[in-house]
Amino acid sequence: MGELLPVATAGEARERGARVGVLPVGSFEQHGAFLPLVTDTVVAVTVGRAVAAEYSLFELPAVTISCSHEHAGWAGTVSVSAATLYAVVNDVAESLRRSGVDRLVIVNGHGGNYVLGNVVQEAHGRMALFPTEVDWARARQAADIETTADDDMHAGELETSILLHAHPELVRADYAEHDHLAPARDRMLTVGLAAYTESGVVGRPSLASAEKGRLVLASLVASFRGVLEAFGQVSR
């Protein structure tokens, strides 16, 4: 798991001279019986590392504990408040600005981190949130993900595919045996995810493959160019 942390030296960071930082934000929450608690963090780091390498950006270590309150009750899940996550991301952005990195992209791996949208909204062009729903939709189409975004909510085809591609050692061998669909989750924020799934899974991991994960990642790397265009860092 050590490869999930950036290992550049201060000298190497200075030579790169990046003006855009990439901050993965994951979570530490249940992902059924076959994916690790750090799944969202692994996804965010995998995407963040790929775009940082492709576009020569400053890669930051991940924020691993975030807003996972809808998963409360499952063993291992840990959360912080939205206010805490808001403060941490803003503090990171301010620290980066003092060192000359004046733009920050938050690579979010957990859907429950709603507050990150407000952080970016209030930054007035200095931050971006990635991937957006449009980026994810494009990646799903590129990889022929069969499950819809609504049905593939948690520990399903998409997340399992990304881990099978990038970190297959983290996926338990019986992943294909844990499909569960719960299409009507209208009150999830009130009652939590446990009201809709006993296993913690909402999706069809049986459809996952490493090749789908590779195609998803490639699509996201291509889509990221639009973030830099919005920042004015690359030409259209």
Side-chain angles (χ1 to χ4, degrees):
M1 293 292 289
E3 66 272 20
L4 294 174
L5 291 171
V7 294
T9 66
E12 289 165 344
R14 183 178 62 252
E15 289 175 9
R16 174 167 286 194
R19 298 294 299 274
V20 177
V22 176
L23 177 65
V25 178
S27 72
F28 198 74
E29 66 184 35
Q30 71 82 21
H31 275 76
F34 63 95
L35 293 180
L37 295 164
V38 293
T39 291
D40 289 343
T41 301
V42 173
V43 169
V45 169
T46 298
V47 175
R49 173 154 298 173
V51 299
E54 177 70 17
Y55 298 99
S56 194
L57 310 178
F58 181 49
E59 179 191 357
L60 293 154
V63 176
T64 305
I65 298 176
S66 60
C67 302
S68 301
H69 311 284
E70 69 273 26
H71 299 276
W74 273 287
T77 296
V78 181
S79 293
V80 297
S81 70
T84 295
L85 183 58
Y86 176 98
V88 166
V89 173
N90 274 307
D91 283 354
V92 169
E94 177 58 30
S95 179
L96 287 171
R97 283 194 289 271
R98 290 195 296 269
S99 63
V101 181
D102 55 7
R103 298 289 187 271
L104 178 64
V105 182
I106 305 165
V107 177
N108 182 36
H110 172 49
N113 290 333
Y114 308 109
V115 70
L116 295 178
N118 295 117
V119 174
V120 171
Q121 180 187 43
E122 294 172 10
H124 301 292
R126 290 185 174 272
M127 291 191 203
L129 188 60
F130 184 82
T132 65
E133 290 183 4
V134 173
D135 299 321
W136 280 123
R138 187 179 295 121
R140 285 175 172 277
Q141 184 177 20
D144 289 326
I145 297 291
E146 298 177 47
T147 324
T148 67
D150 187 59
D151 286 339
D152 192 36
M153 181 253 177
H154 194 68
E157 183 181 3
L158 178 67
E159 289 185 316
T160 306
S161 292
I162 293 172
L163 263 66
L164 283 172
H165 164 62
H167 292 279
E169 73 281 2
L170 299 181
V171 183
R172 307 314 190 256
D174 64 345
Y175 69 90
E177 301 173 14
H178 295 272
D179 288 6
H180 174 77
L181 295 179
R185 304 184 304 275
D186 295 348
R187 305 292 177 228
M188 188 185 71
L189 292 183
T190 299
V191 300
L193 189 61
Y196 303 100
T197 170
E198 183 176 347
S199 68
V201 176
V202 177
R204 298 183 65 188
S206 64
L207 298 174
S209 73
E211 176 62 9
K212 289 179 180 179
R214 185 188 70 79
L215 292 170
V216 164
L217 189 60
S219 175
L220 292 175
V221 169
S223 292
F224 189 85
R225 184 178 180 87
V227 175
L228 298 181
E229 289 173 346
F231 283 157
Q233 298 294 316
V234 296
S235 59
R236 293 183 183 274

